[in-house]
Amino acid sequence: MPFGGCDGPLSSARWGCAPRVRVAIRTTTDSEKGSMGRPRIKDVAQYAGVSAKTVSNVLNDYEHVSERTRTAVREAIDTLGYRVNIAGRQLRRGRTGMIALAVPDLDVAYFAELARHVMAETERRGSTTLLVETGGRREKELAALHGFDAQFTDGVILSPLALEPADLADRDTRLPLVLLGECNLPGSADHVAIDNVTAAREATGHLLARGRRRIAVIGGDLRGSRNTSRLRTVGHQEALAAAGVALRQELVLPVPAFRWADGAAAARTLMRLPERPDAMLCLNDHLALGAVRALHEDGWSVPGDLDVTGFDDIEATRYSIPTITTVAPDKRGIARRAVELLLDRIDADGPGGPAVDETAGHRLIVRESSGG
Amino acid sequence: MPFGGCDGPLSSARWGCAPRVRVAIRTTTDSEKGSMGRPRIKDVAQYAGVSAKTVSNVLNDYEHVSERTRTAVREAIDTLGYRVNIAGRQLRRGRTGMIALAVPDLDVAYFAELARHVMAETERRGSTTLLVETGGRREKELAALHGFDAQFTDGVILSPLALEPADLADRDTRLPLVLLGECNLPGSADHVAIDNVTAAREATGHLLARGRRRIAVIGGDLRGSRNTSRLRTVGHQEALAAAGVALRQELVLPVPAFRWADGAAAARTLMRLPERPDAMLCLNDHLALGAVRALHEDGWSVPGDLDVTGFDDIEATRYSIPTITTVAPDKRGIARRAVELLLDRIDADGPGGPAVDETAGHRLIVRESSGG
DNA sequence: CCATACGATTACATCGATGTAAATGGCGGT
DNA sequence: ACCGCCATTTACATCGATGTAATCGTATGG
């Protein structure tokens, strides 16, 4: 049943979603232990003069319930202020109706936006999303992978940062899992991501087309464990190669995290090089915003002196000064597909088919920071 | 028990938090229905040669369990890959160990940051946070108020926008509730917020001290239902009055939402007035960032032509161009206190004491957008 | 008027973990 | 040897909802 919704399509049609609240009137003389005196299905049954199972049938829109009974039960529910106890239902059904979404960091707007889409999609499909932050720490990602040491959720959508291939190899495959973003973990679980190599190639291509030749990559890294960095750096280098532009190793600069401060620090480092860059391909928007700010403080003009581009198309890039050229992933599509894949696996209730690898769309949005 | 943690202090000390995963080996010949063949407490008991209750005792760190037994049970748990079934525990205990945090919009960075703090705090205290977006819609806020039509959570922390006093009056008081932010709903539930009137007075005072006299309020509203707007507008007017500056009604401009686009639109509206403002007190940072952007596009300089200030101190205000003067609420303190109040109510397991009204700290951070 | 069918309803067992109270067993004291 | 004490362990009932299968009752066909 939908969390935050009502109990079943019929009842939700009948009552709407704003519950009328009346303090429950316990008519039974049962002891008041248990759930703080909340009425149980049995109380409703007694009040309505039917069996508990009939109440259950009404709740679950079982078809063979007479209109009279249905009405009586609903009145009882309404009067007593009854709500189903999820624990009981879940125990019986073996499903929680909840999935977990584990992302590294909600402060990173991309993940907040993605989370909204995932929550909207799961709600639409009658499930509930439990949002968890991993901080990009491996231990937390592992916990997510395994359902958090408790059978809390029916499945997990995980956007990993620190996870290693071996971690996925010996995971408990009974828990449905969908991975988001970049993983070098083929075949082990369903996976949804944009084509990062192509996206980075396009962004670099755009900068090259504007005549930039010394393009730095903030967040770039070919050897690190962060796959986003690797794939996007590869795309960058492919574009350089295709244009016959030499790669300068010193312009590819890894960062500890993908946040404003890291972008600002990286930009300053790069501008101290003997041969300064004339563009900065930042691997996410926060890095780009941080870089732009640092450049501004040091008296450089964007896009006058340098071009800057980002990734993710967070809302801030449309209002910053200058606005930021960025690669916009189809967040809605990613969320929708991820939820779809996960719920399908859950419904399949078994190993299901082989792992699916899906590519979501993206597009380059040129804005002021690279002359748009 | 902590979600995302381990089972109880002892076991978590014993095993650490990164679960070693082995595919469970079911030694019993029980039918494989139920939770997808996961081992139950009974299976562990059988494997370890003890009763189910003893396993439960080990799980819950009951003191009178011999070391031998404890070890045997733990080995069994480890071998079988057992995890407690929350549904069963919850049904028996009548608690879920989860609380809900309902905020209007995760895209609004303040709420994302607040959510992180709340999640960190609940995790520290052994609970789990279920994060829900209300979109500021009354029906969703009501749902949160009532525990989402299902006994999903032990309590709710709600940051309301659209809620009306009457909604709180007849709520089901069995569900512990803490309100965040501004509410004109005294006494009905615990409540944590900063002193908005004072904060706004300080911000306006700062602008007045800089010689600004025509100070617009973006998001301001004395009659609307949004309490944040009302209280901050009151503070603004108090400051004007104290300084003997006349209030211009046309400079107080309500907005439909507190996002970049609304700030941008409002700024444009204000600059079309016959007598233009010389400062804009924006009631959150997104409005301020949007206003700054719009002013920039139309050729106005901040802080040259106008000062702009915000509220909330989201991270973006430290990296925007210009950086934004803002009122920084003690988010950490708000989160900590809210969680504390809620968990106390939950532990009290009854009506508890009268509703508490707590004021969190805040401070004005002067940055470039008002000459800092 | 009886047999049949089927819609409506119900009794009962069950999901997994844990509180209660009672049983078990070892040990020291008399 | 008997008793009582206490640490340890266990049997059993229970939390609330629902699947199963059985029952009840009424309409229909022969």
Side-chain angles (χ1 to χ4, degrees):
Chain A
M1 281 303 109
F3 175 83
C6 295
D7 277 310
L10 207 156
S11 67
S12 94
R14 169 88 171 54
W15 285 318
C17 274
R20 314 178 212 164
V21 177
R22 313 206 183 127
V23 174
I25 305 153
R26 286 290 291 276
T27 53
T28 65
T29 50
D30 286 356
S31 64
E32 288 294 324
K33 61 187 173 182
S35 302
M36 300 171 56
R38 279 213 177 77
R40 303 159 274 183
I41 205 169
K42 204 197 295 182
D43 301 314
V44 176
Q46 193 168 353
Y47 187 93
V50 298
S51 76
K53 179 62 177 149
T54 296
V55 176
S56 170
N57 286 339
V58 172
L59 287 173
N60 292 287
D61 291 321
Y62 180 63
E63 53 181 343
H64 297 308
V65 178
S66 71
E67 204 46 55
R68 247 175 58 82
T69 307
R70 203 179 289 272
T71 308
V73 168
R74 290 199 161 134
E75 259 172 42
I77 289 174
D78 209 12
T79 309
L80 298 178
Y82 170 79
R83 320 253 184 85
V84 317
N85 179 319
I86 290 290
R89 170 178 286 176
Q90 165 178 341
L91 181 57
R92 183 63 238 216
R93 297 227 254 240
R95 292 265 174 84
T96 68
M98 304 208 328
I99 67 160
L101 170 64
V103 297
D105 186 348
L106 278 182
D107 276 4
V108 173
Y110 173 70
F111 293 117
E113 295 183 8
L114 190 65
R116 299 187 72 202
H117 285 116
V118 168
M119 293 193 295
E121 187 65 14
T122 51
E123 190 184 329
R124 204 177 62 78
R125 306 203 26 171
S127 288
T128 302
T129 305
L130 184 58
L131 189 50
V132 181
E133 258 191 339
T134 63
R137 279 174 293 154
R138 179 157 167 273
E139 89 214 49
K140 286 266 197 177
E141 295 184 355
L142 277 172
L145 208 60
H146 302 124
F148 306 96
D149 268 350
Q151 299 165 237
F152 235 99
T153 57
D154 297 335
V156 174
I157 299 177
L158 171 64
S159 179
L161 277 189
L163 226 48
E164 288 163 32
D167 298 330
L168 273 176
D170 59 15
R171 80 186 179 89
D172 182 344
T173 51
R174 284 168 308 191
L175 182 71
L177 172 71
V178 173
L179 295 170
L180 293 186
E182 300 60 46
C183 315
N184 55 345
L185 316 155
S188 44
D190 291 344
H191 174 219
V192 181
I194 64 168
D195 181 345
N196 277 278
V197 176
T198 301
R201 199 167 48 217
E202 288 168 3
T204 299
H206 161 69
L207 293 172
L208 288 168
R210 288 189 24 98
R212 305 301 187 177
R213 286 298 175 270
R214 296 186 47 78
I215 305 174
V217 185
I218 296 185
D221 193 352
L222 279 176
R223 273 172 299 279
S225 64
R226 195 187 276 243
N227 281 288
T228 308
S229 292
R230 184 144 35 74
L231 293 174
R232 292 179 184 173
T233 306
V234 166
H236 169 73
Q237 299 193 349
E238 285 183 11
L240 291 186
V245 175
L247 167 72
R248 324 265 180 143
Q249 211 43 257
E250 76 275 19
L251 293 181
V252 177
L253 195 59
V255 293
F258 273 40
R259 304 180 59 127
W260 289 272
D262 306 287
R268 290 219 160 86
T269 302
L270 287 165
M271 294 310 278
R272 275 196 298 268
L273 288 176
E275 293 185 274
R276 287 189 286 262
D278 57 11
M280 295 182 178
L281 181 82
C282 304
L283 296 197
N284 89 350
D285 288 336
H286 293 282
L287 291 174
L289 290 165
V292 165
R293 172 69 205 180
L295 292 172
H296 169 81
E297 283 178 13
D298 295 346
W300 304 101
S301 147
V302 175
D305 300 314
L306 302 90
D307 285 350
V308 172
T309 68
F311 262 83
D312 294 347
D313 187 34
I314 66 175
E315 197 167 358
T317 59
R318 300 198 271 281
Y319 293 92
S320 57
I321 301 173
T323 55
I324 307 289
T325 295
T326 192
V327 172
D330 177 12
K331 301 186 195 93
R332 175 90 168 280
I334 292 172
R336 174 167 302 183
R337 198 63 192 119
V339 170
E340 205 161 40
L341 285 168
L342 188 65
L343 293 185
D344 284 354
R345 292 260 175 217
I346 293 171
D347 286 340
D349 205 18
V356 173
D357 205 321
E358 301 236 348
T359 302
H362 72 267
R363 66 203 171 90
L364 181 70
I365 301 180
V366 178
R367 299 207 182 97
E368 293 168 357
S369 69
S370 66
Chain B
M1 282 302 109
F3 174 82
C6 294
D7 277 310
L10 206 157
S11 68
S12 94
R14 168 89 170 52
W15 284 318
C17 274
R20 314 178 211 166
V21 178
R22 309 200 187 134
V23 172
I25 303 154
R26 286 291 290 278
T27 53
T28 65
T29 50
D30 286 355
S31 63
E32 288 293 324
K33 62 185 172 181
S35 301
M36 300 170 58
R38 280 211 176 77
R40 302 160 275 183
I41 205 170
K42 203 197 297 183
D43 300 315
V44 176
Q46 193 169 353
Y47 187 93
V50 297
S51 76
K53 180 61 175 141
T54 297
V55 175
S56 170
N57 286 339
V58 171
L59 287 173
N60 292 287
D61 291 322
Y62 180 63
E63 54 182 343
H64 298 307
V65 178
S66 71
E67 204 45 56
R68 245 175 59 81
T69 307
R70 202 179 288 273
T71 308
V73 168
R74 290 199 161 135
E75 258 173 42
I77 289 174
D78 209 11
T79 309
L80 299 177
Y82 170 80
R83 322 251 184 87
V84 319
N85 179 319
I86 290 290
R89 171 177 287 177
Q90 166 179 342
L91 180 57
R92 185 63 239 217
R93 297 227 253 241
R95 293 264 175 85
T96 68
M98 303 208 328
I99 68 159
L101 170 63
V103 297
D105 186 348
L106 278 182
D107 276 5
V108 172
Y110 172 71
F111 293 117
E113 296 182 8
L114 191 65
R116 298 187 72 201
H117 285 116
V118 168
M119 294 193 296
E121 187 65 13
T122 51
E123 189 184 330
R124 203 176 65 76
R125 306 206 22 174
S127 287
T128 302
T129 306
L130 183 57
L131 188 50
V132 181
E133 259 191 339
T134 63
R137 279 174 292 153
R138 179 156 167 275
E139 89 214 49
K140 286 266 197 177
E141 295 184 355
L142 277 172
L145 209 60
H146 302 125
F148 306 96
D149 268 351
Q151 298 166 235
F152 235 99
T153 56
D154 297 335
V156 175
I157 299 178
L158 171 64
S159 178
L161 278 189
L163 226 47
E164 289 162 31
D167 298 330
L168 273 176
D170 59 14
R171 80 187 180 89
D172 182 345
T173 51
R174 284 168 307 192
L175 182 71
L177 171 71
V178 173
L179 295 170
L180 293 186
E182 301 60 44
C183 314
N184 55 345
L185 316 155
S188 44
D190 290 345
H191 173 220
V192 181
I194 64 169
D195 181 346
N196 277 277
V197 175
T198 302
R201 198 167 48 217
E202 289 167 3
T204 297
H206 160 70
L207 293 171
L208 288 169
R210 290 195 16 101
R212 304 301 187 177
R213 286 298 175 270
R214 296 186 47 79
I215 304 173
V217 184
I218 296 185
D221 192 352
L222 279 177
R223 272 172 301 279
S225 64
R226 194 186 278 241
N227 282 289
T228 308
S229 292
R230 183 144 37 74
L231 293 175
R232 292 180 184 173
T233 306
V234 166
H236 169 73
Q237 300 192 350
E238 285 183 11
L240 290 187
V245 175
L247 167 72
R248 324 265 181 141
Q249 211 43 259
E250 78 274 18
L251 292 181
V252 176
L253 195 60
V255 294
F258 273 40
R259 305 180 57 128
W260 289 273
D262 305 287
R268 290 218 161 86
T269 302
L270 289 165
M271 295 309 278
R272 276 196 298 268
L273 289 175
E275 291 184 274
R276 285 189 286 263
D278 58 10
M280 295 181 177
L281 181 82
C282 303
L283 297 197
N284 89 350
D285 288 337
H286 293 282
L287 291 174
L289 290 165
V292 165
R293 171 70 204 178
L295 292 172
H296 168 80
E297 283 178 14
D298 295 346
W300 304 102
S301 148
V302 175
D305 299 313
L306 303 88
D307 285 350
V308 173
T309 67
F311 262 84
D312 293 349
D313 187 34
I314 67 176
E315 197 167 359
T317 58
R318 299 198 273 279
Y319 293 92
S320 56
I321 300 172
T323 54
I324 308 288
T325 295
T326 191
V327 172
D330 177 12
K331 302 186 195 93
R332 176 87 167 281
I334 293 172
R336 172 167 305 182
R337 198 63 192 118
V339 170
E340 207 162 38
L341 285 170
L342 188 66
L343 294 186
D344 284 354
R345 291 262 174 215
I346 293 171
D347 285 341
D349 205 19
V356 173
D357 204 320
E358 301 236 349
T359 302
H362 71 268
R363 65 202 171 91
L364 180 71
I365 301 180
V366 178
R367 300 208 182 97
E368 293 168 357
S369 68
S370 67

